[in-house]
Each structure stands twice: as structure tokens, then as C-alpha cells.
Amino acid sequence: MKSELEQDILKVLITEDQLKARVQELGDAIYDRLEGKNPLFLGVLKGSFVFMADLVRACQLRSNVEFIAVSSYEDATVSSGRAKINYDIQRSVEGRDIVVVEDILDSGNTLSFLCGYLKSRGAASLTVVTLLDKPARREKAITADLAGFTVPDAFVVGYGLDFAQRYRNLPYIGVLKPAVYEKKEP
Ligand code: PRP
């Protein structure tokens, strides 16, 4: 029987096995780029928390882990184009090689803002890693250095990604049934 979360999923887009294999490839690529550099992995909350946990374990570098919370969507399903920091990094990024870890690159507003912020705070280098890339909706001229999967313009959830703060705990990336996000709350 399907779980109460799975009942809302139209189809599985990326399976657990595919995620595991690709995350390891990304971890290997980061290792090759940053060996000997003591990078700081910076997870962008909340969506990146599952990917971040797997990625840092797939990359056995001497490194640090930090988080930042940036919101551009507020409670809307479409980016407002503005971003703000809700929780800041707890250490200096000056002179550090930063690996920015995102779950999805969509309009590009969040990463565009964040990269500018990190540069203004003196980061030595930025390596932008996103699990998912949705180029169809790009508004800012930004590309990731490493991207796990290119996804179509569908409502994707799971493996950290949410709809209305739910579905983050699905172990795979799924497409949400339109009836779920078209439904009006009572
Ligand atoms: C999502 C996602 C990215 C951002 C990408 O975060 O985690 O940070 O949107 O979209 P963009 O390229 O259009 O800026 P969201 O603001 O939904 O918060 P969350 O991570 O807490 O779910």
C-alpha cells in the first residue's frame, strides 16, 4: 500500500539508486577540484539538507560544514525575485574556498544573490553545486559548476525539496500530482 505521502506523487522522476550514484560522482568531482584546499561546504537551507548530508559523506576531503538560510519564495510557488538571509553563516568566509550546495537551481535568484553575498564577504572561490537544474525557468544568468540532473518544468518534491513544507522526507525525487498544489486550503 502506498504511504500517505506517496499517494500525492504522480511519478518518480529520479530513483534512490540514481540519486546515490550521481551524488557519489559529484563528490568525486569536488574532491578532484578541491583536494588540499580545506573547503567550506555551505548548505542552503532548508531544501539542501538531505543532499548536503549525502554529498559531504561522498567527498572525504578535510572540510567544514556550514549552513545559510536564504528565502526568495516566501510562501509563493513562484520566485518573488527578492532574496533575504534568514540564518547567516556562523564563521568567516574570508579567504575560504566555498562549495555552495543547493537542491535546485530554478530562477537563479537565490544563487545569484548568495554568490554576490559570499564574494562581498571575501570568499576566495565559489564552487556552485546543485542537485537539480531547471533551466526552463531561469531569470538570472547563472550556471552551476556541477549539476546532478537537469529536470523539466514540473513540480518536483522529495530528497529535501518541499511543497508547502511537506514531502522533504521522500527518499526519491517525484513529480507532485497537480491536484495537490491546485487544491485550495479550506
Ligand atoms: C528553493 C531551493 C533554492 C531556491 C531555488 O528554496 O531550495 O534555494 O528555491 O530557486 P531560485 O533559483 O528560483 O531562487 P526555497 O526558497 O523554496 O526554500 P527551502 O529551501 O526552505 O525550501
Side-chain angles (χ1 to χ4, degrees):
M1 207 171 82
K2 284 187 173 177
S3 73
E4 57 183 35
L5 288 186
E6 283 180 308
Q7 289 167 22
D8 293 345
I9 301 304
L10 186 65
K11 64 171 179 177
V12 177
L13 197 62
I14 306 168
T15 66
E16 282 185 75
D17 285 348
Q18 288 172 317
L19 285 166
K20 192 169 193 307
R22 189 67 183 126
V23 170
Q24 187 57 58
E25 287 175 358
L26 294 172
D28 291 344
I30 295 166
Y31 192 101
D32 290 346
R33 277 174 178 244
L34 294 172
E35 191 175 1
K37 295 214 161 180
N38 188 29
L40 190 158
F41 283 78
L42 181 64
V44 186
L45 294 171
K46 296 188 279 243
S48 72
F49 80 104
V50 179
F51 178 41
M52 179 80 163
D54 285 345
L55 186 65
V56 294
R57 286 178 292 175
C59 185
Q60 296 287 301
L61 283 174
R62 278 191 196 91
S63 56
N64 305 128
V65 169
E66 289 287 333
F67 291 94
I68 190 168
V70 183
S71 67
S72 67
Y73 280 19
E74 316 249 303
D75 278 333
T77 52
V78 178
S79 173
S80 64
R82 292 184 301 274
K84 67 173 180 156
I85 294 172
N86 296 324
Y87 168 79
D88 208 349
I89 314 160
Q90 300 296 299
R91 65 167 65 203
S92 171
V93 299
E94 199 172 342
R96 299 297 307 268
D97 296 292
I98 313 286
V99 180
V100 181
V101 180
E102 262 288 23
D103 54 326
I104 187 164
L105 173 53
D106 194 341
S107 71
N109 287 319
T110 304
L111 272 176
S112 162
F113 167 81
L114 183 56
C115 289
Y117 177 72
L118 295 169
K119 282 179 196 155
S120 76
R121 302 242 327 230
S125 75
L126 299 179
T127 302
V128 174
V129 184
T130 186
L131 178 70
L132 307 179
D133 188 3
K134 196 189 268 187
R137 300 218 313 179
R138 199 77 88 251
E139 294 170 14
K140 296 275 162 58
I142 185 157
T143 51
D145 297 289
L146 296 166
F149 302 88
T150 300
V151 293
D153 190 9
F155 211 117
V156 288
V157 294
Y159 198 70
L161 287 96
D162 76 309
F163 166 66
Q165 302 302 329
R166 289 187 180 148
Y167 308 99
R168 296 192 196 273
N169 53 330
L170 281 172
Y172 51 80
I173 301 284
V175 176
L176 201 59
K177 286 180 181 168
V180 176
Y181 54 83
E182 283 163 3
K183 200 161 48 186
K184 297 258 186 302
E185 292 295 331

